[in-house]
Amino acid sequence: SQTIHQWPATLVQPVGSPLSLECTVEGTSNPNLYWYRQAAGRGLQLLFYSVGIGQISSEVPQNLSASRPQDRQFILSSKKLLLSDSGFYLCAWSPSASSPLHFGNGTRLTVT
Amino acid sequence: TQLLEQSPQFLSIQEGENLTVYCNSSSVFSSLQWYRQEPGEGPVLLVTVVTGGEVKKLKRLTFQFGDARKDSSLHITAAQPGDTGLYLCAGDYSGNTGKLIFGQGTTLQVKP
């Protein structure tokens, strides 16, 4: 069966520090991969999605970037964190564009 | 810009009561999904509706997709404390690209 792993679960980082969040999927190949951000108790905002290795689409201008160095690995990064980058970050995968999403358990990022 | 308006944002009811959550948009969606999320976890898919007028039932939950595929509702009959959580609707507006627009979510609390 397919599983998605996302880490770390929580992270506290100072303003101006770099960020690297990692997401990996097991049990499938060539998945569509997504990074979402969620405000507390609210809906999700799509940040990035990828349909293949090295193929990244950005949905909103921001201080973050994404990379897909391997088929089942998706990384969210920042060179210098801002206070406004705080939030709950969710990675998700789907077997195809028309399939529902399967989410990881998220990373709670607090920028201090 | 596509928007998905979800209402109500908060709902606190007693065990055994019925409730309905609405999801409305001015855009036509190729499909619409409902997710449920527990605190500190990622959303989990409940159902996908694709055809206008479609009704799907999942135990005490009834999901309906509007005839014009612009709106959807989730009805819970005889709510239980275990139904407590954040309910999210998400529409695929880009013709099965997997780029979902999420509603703002409905926080449901069912008191025993």
Side-chain angles (χ1 to χ4, degrees), chain A:
Chain A
S1 62
Q2 301 88 3
T3 56
I4 179 169
H5 302 279
Q6 190 179 341
W7 68 93
T10 59
L11 190 60
V12 180
Q13 292 283 101
V15 169
S17 64
L19 172 74
S20 181
L21 302 181
E22 190 162 343
C23 173
T24 59
V25 180
E26 296 178 357
T28 187
S29 60
N30 197 32
N32 287 358
L33 296 172
Y34 306 84
W35 278 111
Y36 282 87
R37 179 165 58 199
Q38 184 177 30
R42 307 291 279 167
L44 282 64
Q45 180 186 36
L46 179 61
L47 302 177
F48 301 95
Y49 76 97
S50 172
V51 298
I53 295 175
Q55 300 179 59
I56 309 293
S57 294
S58 174
E59 289 301 296
V60 293
Q62 59 206 312
N63 184 42
L64 302 168
S65 62
S67 61
R68 186 170 177 173
Q70 299 181 46
D71 181 43
R72 292 167 291 171
Q73 183 185 28
F74 207 23
I75 298 172
L76 184 68
S77 304
S78 173
K79 292 182 179 179
K80 290 185 177 182
L81 283 169
L82 306 172
L83 285 174
S84 58
D85 291 324
S86 293
F88 191 50
Y89 290 84
L90 288 156
C91 180
W93 75 275
S94 66
S96 68
S98 59
S99 300
L101 300 178
H102 303 271
F103 287 89
N105 280 334
T107 295
R108 174 76 57 195
L109 172 66
T110 303
V111 182
T112 59

Side-chain angles (χ1 to χ4, degrees), chain B residues 57-92:
Chain B
K57 292 191 175 182
L58 186 65
K59 296 183 180 179
R60 293 176 292 99
L61 278 61
T62 302
F63 305 85
Q64 186 164 6
F65 202 14
D67 292 339
R69 290 185 290 130
K70 293 183 178 181
D71 57 274
S72 182
S73 64
L74 157 62
H75 182 78
I76 301 179
T77 303
Q80 304 294 312
D83 295 327
T84 294
L86 177 67
Y87 289 82
L88 296 157
C89 61
D92 185 345

Side-chain angles (χ1 to χ4, degrees), chain B residues 18 21 36 73:
Chain B
N18 302 333
V21 178
R36 179 168 172 267
S73 64

